Amino acid sequence: MEQLKTIRNGEKVKPTFSAGEMKRRLAALRAHMAERQIDACLFTSIHNVHYFSDFLYTSFGRAYGLVVTHEGQTTISANIDAGQPWRRTFGDNVVYTDWHRDNYFVAVKRLIPDGARVGIEYDHVPVEMLRKLQGALPAAELVDVAKAAMRMRMVKSDEEIAWIRESARIADIGGAACVEAIAVGVPEYEVALHSTRAMVRAIGERQPHVELMDTWTWFQSGINTDGAHNPVTARRIERGDILSLNCFPMPAGYCTALERTLFAEECADEHLRLWEINVEVHEAGIALIKPGARCCDIAAELNAIYERHGLLPNRTFGYGHSFGVLCHYYGREAGLELREDVETVLEPNMVVSMEPMIMIPEGQPGAGGYREHDILVVGEDGAEDITGFPYGPAHNIVRN
Protein backbone atom coordinates (compact mmCIF):
# COMPACT_ATOMS: atom_id res chain seq x y z
CA MET A 1 0.00 0.00 0.00
CA GLU A 2 1.27 3.46 -0.86
CA GLN A 3 2.64 5.69 1.90
CA LEU A 4 2.29 9.06 0.15
CA LYS A 5 0.02 10.30 -2.60
CA THR A 6 -1.06 13.44 -4.43
CA ILE A 7 -4.78 14.23 -4.58
CA ARG A 8 -5.50 17.18 -6.84
CA ASN A 9 -9.26 16.76 -6.87
CA GLY A 10 -11.11 19.62 -8.56
CA GLU A 11 -9.70 23.13 -8.87
CA LYS A 12 -8.09 25.51 -6.40
CA VAL A 13 -10.80 27.46 -4.55
CA LYS A 14 -11.07 31.21 -4.11
CA PRO A 15 -8.50 31.99 -1.38
CA THR A 16 -9.06 33.98 1.77
CA PHE A 17 -6.36 36.50 0.81
CA SER A 18 -4.75 37.61 -2.40
CA ALA A 19 -1.64 35.95 -3.84
CA GLY A 20 0.21 39.18 -3.08
CA GLU A 21 -0.70 38.95 0.60
CA MET A 22 0.40 35.32 0.87
CA LYS A 23 3.68 36.11 -0.91
CA ARG A 24 4.24 38.97 1.55
CA ARG A 25 3.92 36.61 4.52
CA LEU A 26 6.20 34.01 2.99
CA ALA A 27 8.76 36.64 2.00
CA ALA A 28 8.93 37.86 5.61
CA LEU A 29 9.39 34.28 6.79
CA ARG A 30 12.09 33.54 4.20
CA ALA A 31 13.93 36.73 5.14
CA HIS A 32 14.05 35.46 8.73
CA MET A 33 15.18 32.05 7.49
CA ALA A 34 17.99 33.61 5.48
CA GLU A 35 19.09 35.73 8.45
CA ARG A 36 19.17 32.67 10.73
CA GLN A 37 20.58 30.35 8.02
CA ILE A 38 17.50 28.12 8.23
CA ASP A 39 17.06 25.78 5.25
CA ALA A 40 13.44 24.77 5.91
CA CYS A 41 10.65 25.34 8.39
CA LEU A 42 8.22 22.65 9.53
CA PHE A 43 5.13 24.28 11.00
CA THR A 44 2.78 22.01 12.93
CA SER A 45 0.35 24.37 14.69
CA ILE A 46 -3.05 25.17 13.22
CA HIS A 47 -2.37 28.90 13.37
CA ASN A 48 0.98 28.93 11.57
CA VAL A 49 0.00 26.33 8.98
CA HIS A 50 -3.06 28.44 8.22
CA TYR A 51 -1.28 31.80 8.32
CA PHE A 52 1.40 30.78 5.82
CA SER A 53 -0.68 28.48 3.57
CA ASP A 54 -4.40 29.38 3.93
CA PHE A 55 -5.17 25.75 4.84
CA LEU A 56 -6.99 25.30 8.16
CA TYR A 57 -6.70 21.71 9.33
CA THR A 58 -8.74 19.53 11.69
CA SER A 59 -6.43 17.00 13.28
CA PHE A 60 -8.66 14.40 14.99
CA GLY A 61 -5.47 12.88 16.39
CA ARG A 62 -3.49 13.05 13.14
CA ALA A 63 -0.43 15.19 12.49
CA TYR A 64 -0.48 17.98 9.90
CA GLY A 65 2.23 20.32 8.75
CA LEU A 66 3.56 22.94 6.39
CA VAL A 67 7.11 22.77 5.04
CA VAL A 68 8.49 26.08 3.79
CA THR A 69 11.83 26.14 2.00
CA HIS A 70 13.49 28.98 0.11
CA GLU A 71 12.06 27.53 -3.12
CA GLY A 72 8.46 26.64 -2.21
CA GLN A 73 5.90 25.55 0.36
CA THR A 74 3.94 22.31 0.79
CA THR A 75 1.27 21.27 3.26
CA ILE A 76 1.25 17.74 4.68
CA SER A 77 -2.23 16.33 5.22
CA ALA A 78 -3.92 13.04 6.04
CA ASN A 79 -5.64 10.89 3.44
CA ILE A 80 -8.94 11.30 5.28
CA ASP A 81 -9.21 14.87 3.94
CA ALA A 82 -8.66 13.86 0.29
CA GLY A 83 -8.33 16.88 -2.03
CA GLN A 84 -9.56 19.66 0.26
CA PRO A 85 -6.11 20.56 1.65
CA TRP A 86 -4.69 20.88 -1.89
CA ARG A 87 -7.64 23.02 -3.00
CA ARG A 88 -7.05 25.43 -0.13
CA THR A 89 -3.23 25.48 0.05
CA PHE A 90 -1.29 28.42 -1.35
CA GLY A 91 1.39 26.12 -2.70
CA ASP A 92 1.58 22.36 -3.04
CA ASN A 93 0.26 19.50 -0.93
CA VAL A 94 1.34 15.94 -0.14
CA VAL A 95 -0.98 13.37 1.42
CA TYR A 96 0.09 10.58 3.76
CA THR A 97 -1.96 7.41 4.25
CA ASP A 98 -2.81 5.37 7.34
CA TRP A 99 -1.59 2.12 5.79
CA HIS A 100 1.80 2.23 7.57
CA ARG A 101 2.76 3.68 10.93
CA ASP A 102 4.32 7.17 10.89
CA ASN A 103 3.80 7.89 7.21
CA TYR A 104 3.68 11.55 8.23
CA PHE A 105 7.44 11.42 8.76
CA VAL A 106 7.92 9.79 5.37
CA ALA A 107 6.42 13.00 3.97
CA VAL A 108 8.72 15.10 6.16
CA LYS A 109 11.77 13.21 4.86
CA ARG A 110 10.65 13.71 1.27
CA LEU A 111 10.36 17.48 1.74
CA ILE A 112 13.32 18.19 4.06
CA PRO A 113 16.81 16.81 3.42
CA ASP A 114 18.60 15.31 6.40
CA GLY A 115 21.41 17.52 7.64
CA ALA A 116 19.40 20.70 7.07
CA ARG A 117 18.95 23.45 9.63
CA VAL A 118 15.20 23.20 10.34
CA GLY A 119 12.92 25.66 12.06
CA ILE A 120 10.17 24.11 14.21
CA GLU A 121 7.70 25.44 16.77
CA TYR A 122 9.14 24.65 20.19
CA ASP A 123 5.83 25.57 21.81
CA HIS A 124 3.86 23.12 19.67
CA VAL A 125 6.00 20.00 19.28
CA PRO A 126 5.29 17.40 22.00
CA VAL A 127 8.03 15.06 23.16
CA GLU A 128 6.81 12.08 21.11
CA MET A 129 6.71 14.08 17.87
CA LEU A 130 10.11 15.62 18.62
CA ARG A 131 11.67 12.17 19.05
CA LYS A 132 10.12 10.90 15.83
CA LEU A 133 11.25 14.02 13.97
CA GLN A 134 14.79 13.52 15.27
CA GLY A 135 14.59 9.89 14.15
CA ALA A 136 13.44 10.91 10.67
CA LEU A 137 16.12 13.62 10.32
CA PRO A 138 18.94 12.47 12.65
CA ALA A 139 21.53 14.83 11.18
CA ALA A 140 19.26 17.90 11.15
CA GLU A 141 19.73 20.87 13.47
CA LEU A 142 16.39 21.93 14.96
CA VAL A 143 15.89 25.59 15.94
CA ASP A 144 12.86 27.53 17.18
CA VAL A 145 10.83 29.74 14.82
CA ALA A 146 7.64 29.99 16.90
CA LYS A 147 8.40 33.37 18.46
CA ALA A 148 9.58 34.88 15.19
CA ALA A 149 6.43 33.69 13.42
CA MET A 150 4.30 35.12 16.21
CA ARG A 151 5.94 38.52 15.79
CA MET A 152 5.14 38.40 12.06
CA ARG A 153 1.49 37.64 12.81
CA MET A 154 1.23 40.47 15.35
CA VAL A 155 1.46 43.23 12.74
CA LYS A 156 -1.45 42.97 10.32
CA SER A 157 -1.55 43.83 6.63
CA ASP A 158 -4.24 46.07 5.18
CA GLU A 159 -5.99 42.95 3.84
CA GLU A 160 -6.01 41.35 7.27
CA ILE A 161 -7.36 44.50 8.88
CA ALA A 162 -10.17 44.68 6.30
CA TRP A 163 -10.99 41.03 7.11
CA ILE A 164 -10.99 41.69 10.86
CA ARG A 165 -13.12 44.83 10.39
CA GLU A 166 -15.77 42.84 8.50
CA SER A 167 -15.69 40.10 11.12
CA ALA A 168 -16.18 42.67 13.90
CA ARG A 169 -19.29 43.86 12.03
CA ILE A 170 -20.59 40.29 12.08
CA ALA A 171 -19.92 40.07 15.83
CA ASP A 172 -22.18 43.09 16.27
CA ILE A 173 -24.90 41.17 14.40
CA GLY A 174 -24.45 38.30 16.85
CA GLY A 175 -24.74 40.69 19.77
CA ALA A 176 -27.99 42.11 18.46
CA ALA A 177 -29.33 38.57 18.06
CA CYS A 178 -28.35 37.78 21.66
CA VAL A 179 -30.28 40.76 22.97
CA GLU A 180 -33.24 39.81 20.80
CA ALA A 181 -33.37 36.35 22.40
CA ILE A 182 -32.83 37.37 26.03
CA ALA A 183 -35.88 37.02 28.26
CA VAL A 184 -36.66 35.73 31.73
CA GLY A 185 -37.13 31.96 31.59
CA VAL A 186 -35.10 31.43 28.41
CA PRO A 187 -32.16 28.97 28.77
CA GLU A 188 -28.64 30.12 27.97
CA TYR A 189 -28.30 27.72 25.04
CA GLU A 190 -31.29 29.19 23.21
CA VAL A 191 -29.78 32.66 23.34
CA ALA A 192 -26.42 31.30 22.16
CA LEU A 193 -27.99 29.34 19.30
CA HIS A 194 -29.90 32.39 18.07
CA SER A 195 -26.71 34.47 18.07
CA THR A 196 -24.55 31.84 16.38
CA ARG A 197 -27.11 31.22 13.64
CA ALA A 198 -27.25 34.96 12.90
CA MET A 199 -23.45 35.18 12.59
CA VAL A 200 -23.05 32.06 10.44
CA ARG A 201 -25.75 33.28 8.07
CA ALA A 202 -24.11 36.71 7.86
CA ILE A 203 -20.74 35.15 6.99
CA GLY A 204 -22.34 32.86 4.40
CA GLU A 205 -24.17 35.74 2.73
CA ARG A 206 -21.26 38.19 2.70
CA GLN A 207 -18.33 35.77 2.23
CA PRO A 208 -19.72 32.69 0.44
CA HIS A 209 -16.23 31.51 -0.58
CA VAL A 210 -14.95 30.94 2.97
CA GLU A 211 -15.16 27.83 5.12
CA LEU A 212 -17.82 28.19 7.83
CA MET A 213 -15.87 26.77 10.73
CA ASP A 214 -16.17 27.18 14.51
CA THR A 215 -18.23 30.38 14.85
CA TRP A 216 -19.70 30.23 18.35
CA THR A 217 -21.36 32.12 21.21
CA TRP A 218 -20.80 31.87 24.94
CA PHE A 219 -23.84 33.31 26.68
CA GLN A 220 -23.66 33.17 30.46
CA SER A 221 -26.08 34.10 33.22
CA GLY A 222 -25.91 34.49 36.99
CA ILE A 223 -23.06 32.56 38.61
CA ASN A 224 -21.97 31.30 35.18
CA THR A 225 -20.64 34.78 34.37
CA ASP A 226 -17.74 34.36 36.82
CA GLY A 227 -15.37 32.91 34.20
CA ALA A 228 -14.71 34.51 30.85
CA HIS A 229 -14.72 31.17 28.99
CA ASN A 230 -17.47 29.32 30.84
CA PRO A 231 -19.44 27.06 28.47
CA VAL A 232 -23.11 27.52 27.70
CA THR A 233 -25.51 25.64 30.00
CA ALA A 234 -29.24 24.98 30.28
CA ARG A 235 -29.62 27.48 33.15
CA ARG A 236 -32.66 29.70 32.62
CA ILE A 237 -32.45 33.47 32.91
CA GLU A 238 -33.97 34.96 36.07
CA ARG A 239 -35.13 38.51 36.69
CA GLY A 240 -32.24 40.70 37.87
CA ASP A 241 -29.59 38.27 36.56
CA ILE A 242 -26.23 39.56 35.47
CA LEU A 243 -25.59 38.32 31.94
CA SER A 244 -22.50 38.02 29.76
CA LEU A 245 -22.65 38.10 25.97
CA ASN A 246 -19.65 36.65 24.10
CA CYS A 247 -19.92 36.44 20.29
CA PHE A 248 -17.11 34.94 18.19
CA PRO A 249 -17.47 34.91 14.40
CA MET A 250 -14.78 32.78 12.75
CA PRO A 251 -14.67 33.31 8.98
CA ALA A 252 -11.77 31.23 7.63
CA GLY A 253 -10.20 30.76 11.04
CA TYR A 254 -9.91 34.47 11.90
CA CYS A 255 -11.49 35.18 15.28
CA THR A 256 -13.01 38.45 16.41
CA ALA A 257 -15.08 38.99 19.52
CA LEU A 258 -17.83 41.07 21.05
CA GLU A 259 -18.34 40.80 24.80
CA ARG A 260 -20.78 42.76 26.95
CA THR A 261 -22.23 42.84 30.44
CA LEU A 262 -26.04 42.95 30.48
CA PHE A 263 -28.85 42.55 33.01
CA ALA A 264 -32.24 40.90 32.74
CA GLU A 265 -35.08 43.36 33.39
CA GLU A 266 -33.42 45.24 36.28
CA CYS A 267 -30.04 46.00 37.85
CA ALA A 268 -29.58 46.27 41.62
CA ASP A 269 -27.70 49.25 43.07
CA GLU A 270 -24.47 47.41 43.90
CA HIS A 271 -24.48 45.68 40.53
CA LEU A 272 -24.88 49.08 38.91
CA ARG A 273 -21.99 50.58 40.92
CA LEU A 274 -19.62 47.80 39.97
CA TRP A 275 -20.72 47.84 36.34
CA GLU A 276 -20.07 51.57 36.06
CA ILE A 277 -16.58 51.13 37.55
CA ASN A 278 -15.77 48.49 34.96
CA VAL A 279 -17.06 50.79 32.21
CA GLU A 280 -14.76 53.52 33.59
CA VAL A 281 -11.78 51.18 33.25
CA HIS A 282 -12.92 50.12 29.78
CA GLU A 283 -13.12 53.70 28.51
CA ALA A 284 -9.79 54.61 30.09
CA GLY A 285 -8.20 51.59 28.41
CA ILE A 286 -9.57 52.51 24.99
CA ALA A 287 -8.02 55.96 25.37
CA LEU A 288 -4.62 54.44 26.28
CA ILE A 289 -4.30 52.29 23.15
CA LYS A 290 -2.06 54.20 20.73
CA PRO A 291 1.25 53.71 18.93
CA GLY A 292 4.23 53.90 21.27
CA ALA A 293 2.35 52.67 24.35
CA ARG A 294 3.76 49.63 26.13
CA CYS A 295 1.40 46.81 27.03
CA CYS A 296 2.66 46.69 30.62
CA ASP A 297 2.20 50.44 31.10
CA ILE A 298 -1.43 50.26 29.95
CA ALA A 299 -2.03 47.47 32.46
CA ALA A 300 -0.42 49.49 35.26
CA GLU A 301 -2.59 52.56 34.60
CA LEU A 302 -5.77 50.52 34.56
CA ASN A 303 -4.72 48.65 37.70
CA ALA A 304 -4.55 52.02 39.46
CA ILE A 305 -8.22 52.69 38.69
CA TYR A 306 -9.32 49.35 40.08
CA GLU A 307 -7.08 49.86 43.11
CA ARG A 308 -8.68 53.26 43.81
CA HIS A 309 -12.05 51.52 43.97
CA GLY A 310 -10.73 48.60 46.05
CA LEU A 311 -11.33 46.14 43.23
CA LEU A 312 -7.85 45.22 42.02
CA PRO A 313 -7.99 41.77 43.71
CA ASN A 314 -11.18 41.11 41.72
CA ARG A 315 -9.50 41.50 38.33
CA THR A 316 -9.31 38.14 36.59
CA PHE A 317 -6.92 38.39 33.60
CA GLY A 318 -5.02 40.78 31.32
CA TYR A 319 -6.74 43.76 29.73
CA GLY A 320 -6.67 42.61 26.11
CA HIS A 321 -4.91 40.66 23.39
CA SER A 322 -4.11 40.50 19.70
CA PHE A 323 -6.37 39.12 16.98
CA GLY A 324 -5.80 36.99 13.90
CA VAL A 325 -5.70 33.22 13.40
CA LEU A 326 -7.00 31.97 16.73
CA CYS A 327 -9.98 30.51 18.55
CA HIS A 328 -10.64 28.63 21.79
CA TYR A 329 -8.75 25.61 20.37
CA TYR A 330 -5.69 27.15 18.76
CA GLY A 331 -3.55 30.22 18.28
CA ARG A 332 -2.43 33.03 20.55
CA GLU A 333 -0.12 35.95 20.02
CA ALA A 334 1.11 35.99 23.59
CA GLY A 335 3.66 38.71 22.87
CA LEU A 336 0.83 41.19 22.36
CA GLU A 337 -1.26 40.95 25.52
CA LEU A 338 -2.04 43.89 27.76
CA ARG A 339 -0.46 42.47 30.92
CA GLU A 340 2.06 43.59 33.48
CA ASP A 341 4.72 41.15 32.22
CA VAL A 342 4.50 42.10 28.50
CA GLU A 343 6.73 44.97 27.38
CA THR A 344 5.74 45.00 23.70
CA VAL A 345 5.33 48.48 22.25
CA LEU A 346 2.16 49.05 20.24
CA GLU A 347 2.72 50.01 16.62
CA PRO A 348 0.56 50.77 13.58
CA ASN A 349 -1.40 47.83 12.14
CA MET A 350 -1.52 45.95 15.40
CA VAL A 351 -5.05 44.93 16.38
CA VAL A 352 -5.87 44.53 20.08
CA SER A 353 -8.87 44.27 22.36
CA MET A 354 -9.71 46.27 25.44
CA GLU A 355 -11.57 43.91 27.78
CA PRO A 356 -11.35 44.62 31.50
CA MET A 357 -13.07 42.10 33.77
CA ILE A 358 -13.77 41.84 37.47
CA MET A 359 -15.44 38.98 39.33
CA ILE A 360 -17.38 39.29 42.60
CA PRO A 361 -17.88 35.90 44.32
CA GLU A 362 -21.32 34.41 44.87
CA GLY A 363 -22.93 35.49 48.13
CA GLN A 364 -21.45 38.99 48.06
CA PRO A 365 -23.39 42.09 46.98
CA GLY A 366 -23.08 42.58 43.22
CA ALA A 367 -21.97 38.99 42.61
CA GLY A 368 -21.00 38.02 39.08
CA GLY A 369 -18.51 38.71 36.30
CA TYR A 370 -18.38 42.09 34.56
CA ARG A 371 -16.68 42.47 31.20
CA GLU A 372 -16.76 44.77 28.19
CA HIS A 373 -14.78 44.11 25.01
CA ASP A 374 -13.96 46.33 22.03
CA ILE A 375 -11.49 45.74 19.17
CA LEU A 376 -9.09 48.52 18.22
CA VAL A 377 -6.87 48.95 15.18
CA VAL A 378 -3.69 50.85 16.03
CA GLY A 379 -2.91 53.59 13.49
CA GLU A 380 -0.21 56.18 12.98
CA ASP A 381 -1.65 58.69 15.46
CA GLY A 382 -4.09 56.76 17.63
CA ALA A 383 -6.44 53.79 17.43
CA GLU A 384 -9.78 53.15 15.77
CA ASP A 385 -12.47 51.27 17.70
CA ILE A 386 -14.15 48.96 15.16
CA THR A 387 -16.73 47.54 17.58
CA GLY A 388 -20.11 49.20 17.13
CA PHE A 389 -22.30 47.44 19.71
CA PRO A 390 -23.14 49.74 22.66
CA TYR A 391 -22.00 49.04 26.22
CA GLY A 392 -22.98 50.09 29.70
CA PRO A 393 -26.14 50.55 31.82
CA ALA A 394 -27.77 53.02 29.46
CA HIS A 395 -28.02 50.35 26.74
CA ASN A 396 -27.82 46.85 28.17
CA ILE A 397 -30.49 46.40 30.82
CA VAL A 398 -32.63 44.15 28.62
CA ARG A 399 -36.40 44.32 29.03
CA ASN A 400 -37.92 41.96 26.44
Side-chain angles (χ1 to χ4, degrees):
M1 301 293 286
E2 57 192 338
Q3 293 177 290
L4 304 178
K5 55 174 34 176
T6 299
I7 305 178
R8 295 181 177 176
N9 190 35
E11 303 294 331
K12 292 279 191 178
V13 298
K14 181 179 178 179
T16 309
F17 296 101
S18 70
E21 166 65 10
M22 298 306 296
K23 289 176 182 177
R24 179 198 67 81
R25 299 178 185 187
L26 289 161
L29 174 62
R30 289 183 173 120
H32 174 76
M33 291 167 62
E35 181 183 342
R36 294 286 309 278
Q37 297 182 312
I38 296 171
D39 301 302
C41 288
L42 172 61
F43 291 107
T44 50
S45 69
I46 293 177
H47 41 280
N48 276 325
V49 170
H50 185 41
Y51 182 78
F52 290 110
S53 77
D54 202 27
F55 165 53
L56 186 66
Y57 72 76
T58 301
S59 72
F60 269 111
R62 293 175 170 88
Y64 286 73
L66 168 68
V67 173
V68 180
T69 66
H70 291 279
E71 293 75 36
Q73 61 278 348
T74 305
T75 51
I76 303 172
S77 60
N79 195 33
I80 193 170
D81 294 321
Q84 184 262 0
W86 176 79
R87 292 194 296 273
R88 296 222 65 95
T89 294
F90 183 78
D92 208 350
N93 168 256
V94 62
V95 174
Y96 71 93
T97 70
D98 288 344
W99 315 138
H100 304 272
R101 185 183 300 276
D102 292 334
N103 280 348
Y104 175 85
F105 295 96
V106 175
V108 169
K109 288 195 289 185
R110 173 184 287 188
L111 297 170
I112 302 174
D114 196 13
R117 184 171 162 88
V118 182
I120 64 172
E121 298 171 78
Y122 278 14
D123 61 356
H124 195 267
V125 178
V127 171
E128 183 180 23
M129 172 171 268
L130 178 62
R131 287 173 178 164
K132 289 182 177 181
L133 182 58
Q134 290 169 330
L137 302 173
E141 179 186 1
L142 304 179
V143 297
D144 185 38
V145 291
K147 291 183 176 62
M150 178 184 68
R151 286 193 293 271
M152 294 173 204
R153 301 196 316 270
M154 279 163 45
V155 180
K156 314 302 180 190
S157 68
D158 290 344
E159 282 193 36
E160 284 181 284
I161 289 172
W163 191 259
I164 291 168
R165 189 185 301 276
E166 170 63 11
S167 190
R169 184 191 70 83
I170 292 168
D172 288 343
I173 291 172
C178 264
V179 171
E180 185 178 67
I182 289 170
V184 171
V186 174
E188 292 175 359
Y189 66 81
E190 288 292 350
V191 179
L193 284 170
H194 190 62
S195 169
T196 300
R197 281 195 298 264
M199 291 189 289
V200 170
R201 286 169 177 154
I203 296 167
E205 291 167 4
R206 186 68 180 263
Q207 299 160 325
H209 62 288
V210 309
E211 292 177 329
L212 299 171
M213 184 175 182
D214 291 335
T215 291
W216 84 102
T217 302
W218 281 321
F219 177 76
Q220 302 139 350
S221 65
I223 193 172
N224 294 335
T225 64
D226 66 345
H229 301 158
N230 291 354
V232 171
T233 75
R235 184 186 183 279
R236 294 180 180 270
I237 299 170
E238 300 175 8
R239 184 180 182 87
D241 265 350
I242 186 170
L243 310 171
S244 187
L245 170 163
N246 307 267
C247 300
F248 303 96
M250 287 282 295
Y254 272 71
C255 177
T256 55
L258 167 70
E259 297 159 14
R260 289 289 184 259
T261 299
L262 311 97
F263 280 81
E265 298 288 343
E266 63 187 21
C267 179
D269 289 345
E270 183 61 7
H271 278 121
L272 182 61
R273 185 185 77 85
L274 293 163
W275 192 5
E276 289 176 337
I277 291 169
N278 209 52
V279 166
E280 177 188 350
V281 175
H282 183 60
E283 292 178 341
I286 289 171
L288 289 169
I289 294 176
K290 62 187 68 172
R294 293 197 309 168
C295 294
C296 55
D297 295 336
I298 293 172
E301 289 200 43
L302 299 181
N303 281 347
I305 300 174
Y306 278 140
E307 191 168 27
R308 189 169 69 246
H309 291 287
L311 290 170
L312 187 56
N314 300 91
R315 202 195 101 194
T316 63
F317 58 87
Y319 289 100
H321 58 81
S322 182
F323 285 89
V325 183
L326 73 144
C327 82
H328 50 331
Y329 300 122
Y330 59 81
R332 194 69 167 180
E333 294 167 15
L336 187 50
E337 297 200 15
L338 305 180
R339 298 191 328 219
E340 296 87 342
D341 60 336
V342 178
E343 297 181 351
T344 302
V345 177
L346 298 184
E347 58 184 271
N349 282 37
M350 288 180 169
V351 180
V352 295
S353 61
M354 175 47 57
E355 50 177 312
M357 180 174 178
I358 52 173
M359 191 279 286
I360 309 301
E362 194 73 0
Q364 296 184 17
Y370 301 75
R371 180 162 54 143
E372 313 296 341
H373 179 296
D374 284 32
I375 299 172
L376 294 102
V377 178
V378 181
E380 294 292 337
D381 302 313
E384 178 190 2
D385 190 337
I386 61 173
T387 297
F389 196 88
Y391 59 82
H395 304 284
N396 289 331
I397 300 175
V398 182
R399 300 179 177 92
N400 285 340

